[in-house]
């Protein structure tokens, strides 16, 4: 495909300036994946997994209760079973079933007592230093695969995480499922001798699972994440994985035009309406009848969840107060399933870092936190980590569980050691590229997949003839889509300035219309 001079200029403005970086962005190849062995402890992890496969050990995959964790657990279980494992169990505790983040000592003890040998965490575990010592005392092998920030000392285990200090891995923003994909690629290479390109030909659905996790965790869709999502979305649209074909059908999506924004907006909702361990079953099932019925039920539950969301947000805003530079809501009326959504809404409402807390069992209070661009909320909260039973996450999105009886003390310390927040607003994509309406913008689709960290381009066109015709709307004779909010036009035909973008399917979508300011 020919690439226009305007497109080259646009990506240069985004800092993609060398011929090779332009090629990697516009025409990515599977060979652009980084060597998985650049990740710390990868060789040790592969050796431990091969040992477990050869000895037919019992393996427990321990995941995080979100879609990244669900996709990660599904991918690892499927890959291990494809390679001959016969006893791979999944554990993803959620809600009142867990005290916080990551491994739990009593369940590790039960696993060891039942003859378990190896635990592999996915999308969680890097803060489980005490639990790693427990695993060692129980004689369990432990592999931690995670992508969350390192907030304290490293667990005494095999740890694979691109955020490890002084890591040689070139890209630190992999999702949890992206890290698992790297482990799977390394394992196949060692056991079967397959390159990444060969593995993709043999097992293309692995990239689908990794893409789902990357998208749902809102990881930036640039660099290696872009490779994963671009390949995974292409494979998802092609219909190669049965359970996800049923999912798309039940959600009413057209697979061919499916976009990342479709998944952001409502596509992933059914997985959050299900128990996370059931989410693994959904992804790996081949029972079409059960899948149709269950996805239909979950779609209904997701709609109920959406109805309850605003009620929880309204309650949280009534109770919100600023403590130490952070907007805080503490309430036993907020359902724990809504904590992350509530924290996000508070951040957007007040343009300040926010946290929402609700009680868990035995007097424990659990919190979800959302920060601003340029503010290390996770780093700030490490000041209080001695008060937390569990703690972890990212700089802008994290969570913790307050130890029993220490909530008031924590809030007082929060007041006394305030978080310093600058005046800058959240960064938004305010770059508008001047480009007149063109009949063929197909080369701009090379910028997709659009999403977090890679928004669709915004164009400005001056003195455009915009008219309503019998078959829709045209701008300078080119068919365009005008959202309902911008209709009806003040005149059937007029000269205006327009801001527009291009959808994943190549169609032009208007964003705003103003009377032309140029003579």
């Amino acid at each position: 495909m020919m690439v226009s001079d305007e497109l080259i200029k646009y990506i240069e403005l985004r800092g993609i300036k060398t011929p090779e970086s332009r090629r990697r962005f516009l025409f990515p190849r599977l060979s652009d994946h980084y060597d998985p062995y650049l990740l710390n402890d990868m060789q040790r992890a592969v050796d431990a997994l091969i040992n477990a496969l050869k000895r037919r050990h019992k393996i427990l995959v321990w995941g995080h209760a979100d879609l990244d964790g669900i996709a990660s657990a599904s991918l690892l279980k499927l890959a291990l079973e494809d390679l001959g494992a016969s006893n791979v169990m999944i554990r993803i505790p959620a809600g009142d079933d867990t005290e916080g983040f990551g491994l739990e000592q009593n369940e590790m003890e039960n696993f060891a007592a039942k003859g378990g040998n190896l635990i592999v965490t996915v999308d969680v575990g890097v803060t489980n230093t005490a639990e790693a010592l427990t695993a060692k005392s129980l004689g369990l092998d432990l592999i931690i695969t995670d992508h969350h920030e390192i907030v304290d000392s490293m667990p005494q285990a095999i740890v694979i995480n691109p955020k490890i200090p002084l890591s040689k891995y070139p890209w630190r923003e992999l999702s949890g499922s992206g890290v698992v994909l790297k482990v799977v690629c390394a394992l196949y290479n060692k056991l079967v001798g397959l390159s990444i390109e060969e593995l993709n030909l043999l097992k293309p659905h692995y990239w689908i699972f990794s893409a789902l996790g990357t998208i749902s965790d809102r990881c930036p869709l640039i660099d290696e994440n872009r490779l994963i999502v671009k390949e995974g979305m292409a494979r998802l649209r092609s219909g190669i994985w049965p359970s996800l074909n049923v999912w798309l059908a039940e959600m009413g999506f057209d697979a061919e035009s499916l976009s990342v924004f479709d998944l952001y907006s409502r596509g992933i909702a059914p997985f959050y309406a299900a128990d996370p361990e059931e989410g693994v079953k959904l992804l790996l099932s081949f029972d079409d009848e059960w899948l149709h019925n269950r996805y239909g039920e979950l779609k209904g539950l997701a709609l109920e969840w959406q109805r309850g969301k605003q009620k929880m947000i309204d309650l949280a805003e009534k109770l919100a107060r600023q403590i130490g530079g952070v907007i805080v809501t503490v309430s036993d009326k907020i359902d724990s399933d809504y904590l992350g959504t509530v924290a996000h809404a508070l951040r957007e409402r007040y343009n300040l870092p926010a946290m929402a807390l609700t009680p868990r069992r035995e007097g424990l209070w659990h919190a979800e936190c959302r920060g601003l661009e340029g503010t290390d909320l996770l780093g700030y909260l490490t000041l209080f980590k001695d008060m937390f039973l569990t703690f972890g996450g990212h700089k802008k999105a994290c969570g913790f569980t307050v130890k029993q009886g220490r909530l008031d003390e924590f809030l007082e310390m929060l007041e006394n050691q305030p978080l310093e927040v600058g005046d800058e607003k959240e960064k938004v994509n305010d770059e508008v590229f001047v480009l007149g309406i063109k009949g063929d913008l197909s080369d701009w689709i090379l910028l997709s997949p659009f999403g977090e960290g890679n928004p669709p381009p915004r164009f400005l066109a001056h003195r455009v003839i915009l008219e309503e015709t019998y078959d829709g709307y045209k701008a300078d004779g080119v068919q365009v889509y005008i959202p309902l909010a911008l209709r009806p036009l003040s005149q059937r035909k007029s000269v205006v300035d327009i801001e527009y973008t291009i959808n994943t399917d190549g169609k032009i979508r208007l964003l705003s219309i103003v009377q032309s300011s140029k003579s």
Side-chain angles (χ1 to χ4, degrees):
M1 177 184 291
M2 293 292 293
V3 178
S4 63
D5 292 339
E6 294 94 341
L7 177 55
I8 296 298
K9 182 179 178 181
Y10 176 83
I11 64 174
E12 285 181 345
L13 289 172
R14 292 186 54 183
I16 306 169
K17 297 182 178 182
T18 68
E20 178 58 15
S21 65
R22 291 198 297 262
R23 197 280 305 160
R24 283 176 59 90
F25 193 87
L26 298 175
F27 302 101
R29 305 166 184 157
L30 288 166
S31 58
D32 291 334
H33 275 294
Y34 299 121
D35 181 358
Y37 286 98
L38 292 174
L39 285 161
N40 291 58
D41 279 354
M42 183 60 82
Q43 185 62 62
R44 292 177 65 203
V46 168
D47 290 343
L49 287 167
I50 290 175
N51 179 63
L53 288 169
K54 288 182 175 179
R55 294 176 178 269
R56 298 192 173 278
H57 282 171
K58 290 184 179 179
I59 302 171
L60 176 63
V61 176
W62 188 287
H64 188 207
D66 63 9
L67 185 49
D68 192 17
I70 293 168
S72 299
S74 302
L75 171 55
L76 185 58
K77 176 179 172 65
L78 183 62
L80 291 174
E81 290 177 343
D82 286 345
L83 288 168
S86 58
N87 202 343
V88 181
M89 294 164 282
I90 298 291
R91 185 71 177 106
I92 310 178
D96 292 335
D97 197 26
T98 178
E99 293 183 348
F101 301 93
L103 294 165
E104 296 182 5
Q105 181 171 326
N106 63 326
E107 297 212 31
M108 297 169 68
E109 291 170 349
N110 291 338
F111 178 62
K114 294 176 181 178
N117 307 101
L118 170 64
I119 297 176
V120 186
T121 73
V122 292
D123 190 34
V124 75
V126 78
T127 61
N128 291 152
T129 51
E131 291 78 10
L133 293 175
T134 297
K136 191 173 183 180
S137 70
L138 293 169
L140 294 170
D141 291 329
L142 176 61
I143 302 172
I144 292 173
T145 75
D146 202 349
H147 72 131
H148 293 99
E149 298 287 344
I150 315 295
V151 297
D152 208 338
S153 58
M154 292 278 289
Q156 292 185 29
I158 299 171
V159 181
I160 300 177
N161 185 331
K163 292 188 174 78
I164 288 175
L166 303 179
S167 171
K168 295 179 181 178
Y169 200 73
W171 175 240
R172 74 188 309 270
E173 299 300 330
L174 286 171
S175 64
S177 55
V179 174
V180 171
L181 180 64
K182 305 306 295 188
V183 173
V184 169
C185 288
L187 185 59
Y188 265 90
N189 180 259
K190 184 68 178 288
L191 266 180
V192 192
L194 294 181
S195 66
I196 288 175
E197 298 94 323
E198 290 167 335
L199 178 59
N200 180 264
L201 286 173
L202 182 67
K203 304 288 184 180
H205 45 280
Y206 290 175
W207 272 257
I208 297 179
F209 295 144
S210 190
L212 286 177
T214 302
I215 291 167
S216 69
D217 228 42
R218 299 242 174 196
C219 297
L221 302 188
I222 53 178
D223 209 288
E224 194 166 28
N225 290 347
R226 176 175 170 78
L227 289 173
I228 292 169
V229 172
K230 195 175 184 72
E231 180 65 23
M233 287 293 287
R235 298 296 190 170
L236 179 57
R237 295 188 193 103
S238 69
I240 63 170
W241 195 248
S243 69
L244 292 175
N245 295 339
V246 176
W247 164 59
L248 293 179
E250 285 296 325
M251 295 303 295
F253 287 124
D254 176 10
E256 290 187 5
S257 61
L258 185 71
S259 72
V260 169
F261 290 104
D262 290 331
L263 303 186
Y264 282 159
S265 61
R266 61 187 180 90
I268 63 177
F271 292 98
Y272 287 96
D275 177 86
E277 290 179 11
E278 185 187 21
V280 175
K281 183 180 177 183
L282 285 164
L283 285 177
L284 299 184
S285 176
F286 288 84
D287 185 342
D288 277 8
E289 182 178 357
W290 176 76
L291 285 167
H292 276 289
N293 291 335
R294 190 58 181 142
Y295 276 129
E297 292 168 353
L298 292 172
K299 181 179 178 181
L301 291 173
L303 288 173
E304 289 181 19
W305 186 90
Q306 289 288 346
R307 295 188 190 103
K309 178 175 74 171
Q310 193 57 51
K311 179 181 177 181
M312 293 292 169
I313 291 173
D314 291 343
L315 172 63
E317 289 188 346
K318 288 178 182 177
L319 299 173
R321 52 192 171 125
Q322 186 170 339
I323 303 177
V326 180
I327 295 296
V328 180
T329 285
V330 180
S331 174
D332 60 1
K333 300 293 193 298
I334 297 176
D335 191 309
S336 60
D337 290 341
Y338 291 91
L339 272 188
T341 298
V342 165
H344 175 84
L346 292 174
R347 182 194 69 181
E348 296 299 300
R349 169 70 174 81
Y350 296 100
N351 197 38
L352 284 171
M355 63 177 68
L357 297 97
T358 197
R360 282 252 175 100
R361 62 189 181 195
E362 300 173 0
L364 301 173
W365 284 79
H366 181 62
E368 285 288 339
C369 314
R370 299 295 182 267
L372 296 174
E373 192 73 40
T375 300
D376 185 358
L377 182 59
L378 183 73
Y380 167 67
L381 289 171
T382 58
L383 296 173
F384 318 104
K385 67 180 187 303
D386 290 343
M387 296 186 178
F388 302 151
L389 185 66
T390 57
F391 173 48
H394 306 287
K395 291 180 179 180
K396 283 180 57 181
C398 54
F400 57 84
T401 301
V402 183
K403 291 178 180 176
Q404 193 169 16
R406 302 196 69 177
L407 176 62
D408 291 340
E409 182 186 357
F410 165 66
L411 295 176
E412 184 178 345
M413 290 189 68
L414 201 68
E415 181 73 55
N416 294 333
Q417 299 185 63
L419 170 65
E420 294 184 9
V421 180
D423 294 329
E424 67 175 274
K425 301 287 186 180
E426 282 275 32
K427 293 181 181 178
V428 296
N429 177 43
D430 56 2
E431 181 181 34
V432 180
F433 191 76
V434 177
L435 182 69
I437 289 286
K438 297 170 62 176
D440 182 11
L441 290 174
S442 57
D443 58 331
W444 288 84
I445 300 303
L446 295 171
L447 298 176
S448 66
F450 302 124
E452 191 79 17
N454 185 41
R458 292 166 56 197
F459 305 114
L460 177 65
H462 293 292
R463 295 196 57 77
V464 172
I465 298 175
L466 184 63
E467 57 183 329
E468 183 176 359
T469 68
Y470 69 92
D471 60 347
Y473 299 91
K474 291 186 177 181
D476 285 349
V478 176
Q479 200 79 34
V480 297
Y481 172 75
I482 300 182
L484 291 174
L486 298 180
R487 305 180 200 172
L489 300 180
S490 58
Q491 302 177 50
R492 183 179 171 276
K493 184 176 183 179
S494 55
V495 178
V496 295
D497 294 344
I498 63 171
E499 188 177 321
Y500 67 99
T501 189
I502 180 170
N503 293 336
T504 305
D505 58 7
K507 296 179 180 178
I508 295 172
R509 177 188 179 90
L510 267 61
L511 300 174
S512 66
I513 305 170
V514 296
Q515 292 300 314
S516 180
S517 58
K518 292 190 174 185
S519 57

